[in-house]
Amino acid sequence: MPLFLPHFNIQKFNTLAVPAVANYFVAVQSDEELQEALAFAKTEKLPLLILGGGSNIVLRADFPGLVIHIKTRGLDVVAENDEFVWLKVAAGENWHQLVEYSLDNGYYGLENLSLIPGSVGAAPIQNIGAYGVELKDVFAELSALNIQSGLMVTFTKESCQFGYRDSIFKQSLKDQYVITTVTLKLSKMPRLNLQYPALRAALADIPGAEVSPEQVSAAVVTIRQSKLPDPQQIPNVGSFFKNPIISVAQFEALKLQYPQLVSYPVDELHVKLAAGWLIDHAGWRGKEINGVRVHPDQALVLTNPGKLEGKLILQLADRVVASVREQFGVVLEMEPRVYPE
Ligand SMILES: Cc1cc2nc3c(=O)[nH]c(=O)nc-3n(C[C@H](O)[C@H](O)[C@H](O)COP(=O)(O)OP(=O)(O)OC[C@H]3O[C@@H](n4cnc5c(N)ncnc54)[C@H](O)[C@@H]3O)c2cc1C
C-alpha cells in the first residue's frame, strides 16, 4: 500500500513554486499502487490531481483532494526492424532523461524536444512541441488506466486526436484516464528537422550533411537556456499562453496596422500569431505586479520569483489577456492548467 500523506505542501512539486496544501499526497511507483491510490480517492470521494513534474499547472489555491504523483520507471524496446525501434516508456520517467537515453542508444527523433521539463506521461496531454517537432511525430501508442472502470486501455495516434498543444485528454476525455506508458517510434537513422530558423542559425557553422542529432540536441539546449528562465532559479511554467490561431482575414487587417507582426502559416484559412510578440507590444515585457513578473527576455513567460500564491499569477495573466484583447482584438488562451478548477 503506498503512503498517503495528509495535509501536504506541494510547493516543491510545481515549478511555479506556489505554496499550496493538498488534503492528501501519494507517490505511486507501480500500476498496482496507482490502482490503490485511485480506490482510496473513490472511497474518500476526493477530487484527483495526477501530477508529473508540475511544470504545466497553476495552483490557484489549496487542493481539496488527492494528489497522485506518478513515479513509475522503465524503458523497454518492445519491437524493432532495420529502420525503427519502438520504445515503451513508463509515465514517471523524466522527459529530458529519455531524450538523452535515446541519443545514447542511437534512437533518433527526440532531439528537437530536448530539455522540455516534466514527465513522459504528461507529454501526450498537450502534445508537447518545440523547434518544429511535436510528440505526435514520434508517437506510436500509449496505455492509460480508466479512472472510473479501472480498465487499462490502449490509445493509437489517431485516437489521441493530437493538435497544437492539444489532445483528447484535454477535451472529451479530460480527467478520465491516467497515462501509464507511452510508446515512441524512433528512427535508427538520423532524420533531422532543421526547419526552425533559430536552430538552423545555431548550427550554421557546421556543413548541413555533417550535422548530427547530438549537435541538434546540444543546440536546442543552448537556445533554450539562453531564452527561458530555469525554474530552479526563477519559478515558471514556460509559455504561459498558447500562440493564438486567427483567420487570414483578421490577420491581414492586423498586419496593415502592425507590419512587424510575427506569424506562422497554419492552413489556407488560418494563421498562428506569436503570443510573445503581442504581449511584448502591448507593453508587458519586464513588468511586475504584486511580485509576479512578465519575463524581461521572453514576454510569453510569467515568473514567480517570490514563490507567491497562484492567485497573484492568475491576476497578472488576466491583465495581460485583457490588454492584448483591447489592443489587438485577439484572445489569448492559457497553456498550463489551473487547479482546483
Ligand atoms: C521552462 C519550461 C519550458 C517549457 N517548454 C515547453 C515546450 O517547449 N513545449 C511544450 O510543449 N511544453 C513546454 N513546457 C511545459 C511542460 O514542460 C510540458 O507541458 C510537460 O509535458 C509537463 O509535464 P509535467 O510532468 O510537469 O506535467 P504536470 O505539470 O505534472 O501536469 C500537466 C497536466 O498533465 C496531467 N498529467 C500529468 N501526468 C499525467 C499522467 N500520467 N496521466 C494523465 N494526466 C497526466 C496533469 O494532471 C496536468 O493536467 C515548459 C515548461 C517549463 C517550466
Side-chain angles (χ1 to χ4, degrees):
M1 183 67 110
L3 193 60
F4 293 91
L5 301 165
H7 201 70
F8 188 87
N9 190 336
I10 47 178
Q11 185 167 29
K12 290 204 178 92
F13 293 84
N14 71 99
T15 63
L16 272 168
V18 167
V21 172
N23 272 14
Y24 288 97
F25 176 95
V26 65
V28 297
Q29 308 206 27
S30 65
D31 289 354
E32 293 68 40
E33 289 190 350
L34 173 61
Q35 298 265 20
E36 286 168 345
L38 293 174
F40 177 82
K42 207 172 198 173
T43 313
E44 301 291 323
K45 298 191 171 51
L46 297 168
L48 286 172
L49 195 179
I50 309 301
L51 186 69
S55 64
N56 213 18
I57 58 168
V58 182
L59 294 156
R60 170 202 304 281
D62 289 342
F63 186 71
L66 172 65
V67 172
I68 303 182
H69 183 37
I70 307 293
K71 291 198 68 179
T72 48
R73 293 285 179 268
L75 300 108
D76 295 300
V77 172
V78 288
E80 66 182 302
N81 60 24
D82 290 345
E83 275 182 89
F84 296 102
V85 291
W86 281 259
L87 185 65
K88 187 175 185 177
V89 189
E93 291 284 350
N94 174 270
W95 178 264
H96 182 64
Q97 283 170 12
L98 161 66
V99 175
E100 291 180 326
Y101 172 91
S102 70
L103 288 172
D104 288 348
N105 286 278
Y107 309 150
Y108 303 121
L110 300 181
E111 43 283 348
N112 296 45
L113 301 175
S114 298
L115 212 63
I116 297 181
S119 62
V120 169
I125 301 287
Q126 72 157 5
N127 180 29
I128 56 167
Y131 300 96
V133 173
E134 290 181 329
L135 177 79
K136 72 171 170 49
D137 301 325
V138 288
F139 180 90
E141 62 177 40
L142 63 77
S143 312
L145 196 66
N146 183 300
I147 292 173
Q148 272 309 313
S149 68
L151 293 176
M152 198 65 89
V153 180
T154 300
F155 286 81
T156 61
K157 189 192 291 198
E158 289 65 38
S159 57
C160 288
Q161 298 179 12
F162 290 124
Y164 164 62
R165 298 292 185 275
D166 202 19
S167 74
I168 196 165
F169 304 104
K170 287 178 79 175
Q171 303 296 334
S172 58
L173 297 184
K174 187 174 163 191
D175 292 332
Q176 292 186 36
Y177 284 89
V178 182
I179 294 170
T180 55
T181 65
V182 178
T183 304
L184 303 170
K185 181 184 171 187
L186 301 175
S187 173
K188 291 181 174 177
M189 292 293 292
R191 289 163 199 252
L192 304 184
N193 181 330
L194 301 179
Q195 59 170 268
Y196 202 85
L199 192 52
R200 267 204 314 276
L203 294 163
D205 290 345
I206 309 168
E210 289 173 24
V211 175
S212 70
E214 288 80 3
Q215 285 166 328
V216 174
S217 174
V220 168
V221 168
T222 305
I223 300 171
R224 292 183 70 97
Q225 285 174 336
S226 71
K227 282 200 341 195
L228 292 169
D230 174 359
Q232 298 288 341
Q233 315 287 329
I234 308 174
N236 75 88
V237 278
S239 305
F240 205 88
F241 301 100
K242 294 201 217 179
N243 287 327
I245 295 172
I246 61 171
S247 69
V248 167
Q250 189 183 5
F251 168 70
E252 279 168 0
L254 270 175
K255 186 88 178 165
L256 281 179
Q257 226 184 328
Y258 301 97
Q260 310 298 328
L261 193 66
V262 177
S263 64
Y264 317 94
V266 174
D267 56 34
E268 276 169 25
L269 299 176
H270 298 94
V271 175
K272 193 165 23 171
L273 300 181
W277 189 94
L278 298 171
I279 298 166
D280 189 0
H281 287 79
W284 283 98
R285 180 138 63 107
K287 283 226 170 117
E288 178 175 322
I289 292 185
N290 294 326
V292 182
R293 282 180 98 182
V294 179
H295 192 55
D297 301 334
Q298 169 53 279
L300 195 49
V301 177
L302 304 189
T303 68
N304 185 21
K307 304 188 177 180
L308 305 173
E309 286 173 292
K311 67 179 183 206
L312 298 175
I313 302 163
L314 295 172
Q315 281 165 10
L316 174 61
D318 282 349
R319 290 187 58 174
V320 169
V321 170
S323 105
V324 166
R325 178 164 39 196
E326 197 181 322
Q327 184 169 339
F328 300 102
V330 173
V331 179
L332 294 180
E333 197 187 317
M334 269 180 63
E335 189 188 291
R337 186 152 164 209
V338 177
Y339 291 93
E341 280 195 310

